[in-house]
């Protein structure tokens, strides 16, 4: 006995629906994006903003040592090199990569993105995950305090010694979070739109010290404000390392593909080599407790 035509249609519809569901992006079981991208991660054929090309965003200016000479497209500097390495893993050569300027705070603000991923020293946090996706972490980072040599802040040996210091940091950063949540200074932190403004405030004596990530602290003291010194670095909070992650649109189909690319670069030693090449000056600094 043959099924009625209507039953056949019903069965076909069910099969089609099951096939569609099985191919759709599935919710992640953990906070870390899945390393499996399936067929949706076919190299050079991702569902990017511009077909056949990869659009990467970062802020302007693009600071050293993360970028060289304020030129993200050069491939020089740690984050520029990482961006192109990820692009290569995804099947996009340098000629298929375009760069877009996006202010730091806007990169992880709610709303649809015009880039495929953003790379700009953005630390992964649960609060930011509410608005955007993150790739696997590509760099473990600590925050550090920079002050002018000979100043009261430069003599600090502990977090308690910083409580009376006027501290400053860029808006929206974990650097600012460390001031507010870890140091808890007597004076409200000075908040700046850009790190350049924070550095100028330090040089002009408007703040006693600024908080930045450790590699940036080494660059500031070694090349930009040579009469400044690294007072120390903070311990990681909560027992887990702070990590920089690539920022993607919330629910992006690219997230598992980009995470898989970052994971591959970590596993084959590429990230370690790039870190050694571009961030080798970021050695240990005293730990403030």
């Amino acid at each position: 006995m043959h099924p009625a035509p209507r039953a056949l249609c019903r069965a076909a519809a069910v099969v089609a629906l099951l096939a569609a569901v099985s191919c759709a992006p599935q919710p992640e079981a953990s906070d870390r994006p899945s390393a499996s991208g399936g067929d949706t991660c076919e190299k050079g054929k991702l569902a990017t903003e511009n077909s056949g090309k990869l659009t990467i965003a970062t802020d302007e200016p693009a600071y050293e040592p993360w970028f060289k000479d304020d030129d993200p497209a050069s491939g020089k500097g740690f984050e520029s090199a990482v961006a192109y390495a990820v692009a290569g893993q995804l099947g996009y050569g340098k000629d298929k990569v375009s760069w877009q300027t996006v202010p730091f705070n806007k990169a992880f603000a709610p709303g649809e993105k015009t880039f495929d991923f953003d790379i700009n020293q953005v630390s992964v946090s649960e609060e930011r995950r509410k608005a955007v996706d993150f790739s696997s972490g590509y760099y473990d980072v600590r925050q550090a305090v920079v002050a002018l040599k000979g100043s009261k802040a430069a003599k600090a040996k502990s977090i308690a010694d910083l409580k009376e210091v006027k501290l400053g940091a860029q808006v929206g950063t974990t650097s600012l979070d460390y001031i507010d949540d870890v140091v808890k200074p007597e004076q409200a932190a000075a908040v700046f739109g850009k790190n350049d403004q924070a550095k100028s405030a330090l040089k002009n004596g408007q703040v006693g010290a600024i908080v930045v990530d450790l590699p940036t602290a080494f660059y500031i003291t070694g090349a930009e404000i040579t009469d400044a010194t690294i007072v120390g670095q903070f311990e990681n909070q909560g027992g887990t390392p702070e990590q920089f992650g690539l920022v993607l649109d919330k629910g992006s189909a690219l997230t598992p593909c980009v995470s898989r690319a970052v994971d591959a670069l970590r596993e084959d030693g590429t990230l370690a080599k790039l870190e050694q090449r571009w961030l080798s000056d970021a050695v240990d600094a005293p730990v403030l407790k």
Side-chain angles (χ1 to χ4, degrees):
M1 180 176 178
H2 297 287
R6 183 175 295 178
L8 282 171
C9 290
R10 239 185 238 127
V14 170
V15 170
L17 179 60
L18 288 173
V21 170
S22 67
C23 293
Q26 300 299 307
E28 300 300 335
S30 66
D31 286 338
R32 180 169 174 148
S34 169
S36 63
D39 293 338
T40 59
C41 295
E42 186 176 354
K43 289 193 174 184
K45 297 183 179 180
L46 305 183
T48 53
E49 285 288 323
N50 298 294
S51 182
K53 292 187 178 293
L54 193 67
T55 304
I56 305 176
T58 196
D59 202 353
E60 185 180 36
Y63 298 110
E64 298 195 31
W66 311 105
F67 301 92
K68 189 75 173 173
D69 300 324
D70 192 18
D71 182 11
S74 69
K76 298 178 180 179
F78 180 70
E79 289 194 328
S80 181
V82 167
Y84 281 115
V86 170
Q89 284 287 329
L90 296 174
Y92 297 89
K94 195 171 183 179
D95 61 326
K96 299 297 183 182
V97 172
S98 61
W99 287 86
Q100 185 181 105
T101 300
V102 173
F104 178 82
N105 255 7
K106 191 174 179 181
F108 51 87
E112 188 175 352
K113 308 307 177 191
T114 57
F115 51 78
D116 294 311
F117 69 77
D118 179 281
I119 183 167
N120 189 26
Q121 306 112 67
V122 181
S123 295
V124 179
S125 74
E126 292 310 308
E127 183 64 28
R128 290 171 179 171
R129 281 188 192 277
K130 296 175 183 178
V132 295
D133 281 359
F134 281 100
S135 71
S136 300
Y138 61 88
Y139 180 67
D140 292 358
V141 65
R142 284 192 174 190
Q143 299 299 316
V145 180
V146 175
L148 297 181
K149 294 175 181 176
S151 67
K152 180 180 179 180
K155 297 179 176 66
K157 302 296 182 185
S158 67
I159 292 173
D161 293 338
L162 294 170
K163 288 189 179 295
E164 296 180 2
V165 177
K166 181 68 174 179
L167 300 170
Q170 183 177 339
V171 65
T173 60
T174 50
S175 302
L176 184 58
D177 291 340
Y178 268 76
I179 295 175
D180 293 336
D181 301 336
V182 178
V183 179
K184 300 177 182 177
E186 295 175 2
Q187 305 177 64
V191 182
F192 304 96
K194 300 275 187 180
N195 259 341
D196 277 348
Q197 297 168 349
K199 289 181 283 188
S200 294
L202 178 64
K203 287 191 288 186
N204 297 334
Q206 294 170 276
V207 294
I210 59 174
V211 178
V212 293
D213 59 76
L214 188 57
T216 298
F218 274 97
Y219 185 77
I220 290 173
T221 56
E224 296 184 309
I225 311 176
T226 53
D227 60 339
T229 185
I230 297 175
V231 179
Q233 61 178 309
F234 295 107
E235 291 183 303
N236 289 317
Q237 300 301 299
T240 57
E242 178 184 346
Q243 290 188 316
F244 291 157
L246 305 176
V247 181
L248 299 96
D249 205 355
K250 185 67 176 175
S252 172
L254 300 183
T255 302
C257 308
V258 174
S259 281
R260 187 167 72 178
V262 172
D263 291 342
L265 294 172
R266 182 184 302 104
E267 289 165 10
D268 70 10
T270 298
L271 289 180
K273 290 176 183 176
L274 294 178
E275 183 177 333
Q276 177 61 33
R277 178 176 181 185
W278 297 108
L279 304 179
S280 58
D281 288 340
V283 294
D284 289 336
V287 176
L288 297 168
K289 297 182 179 181

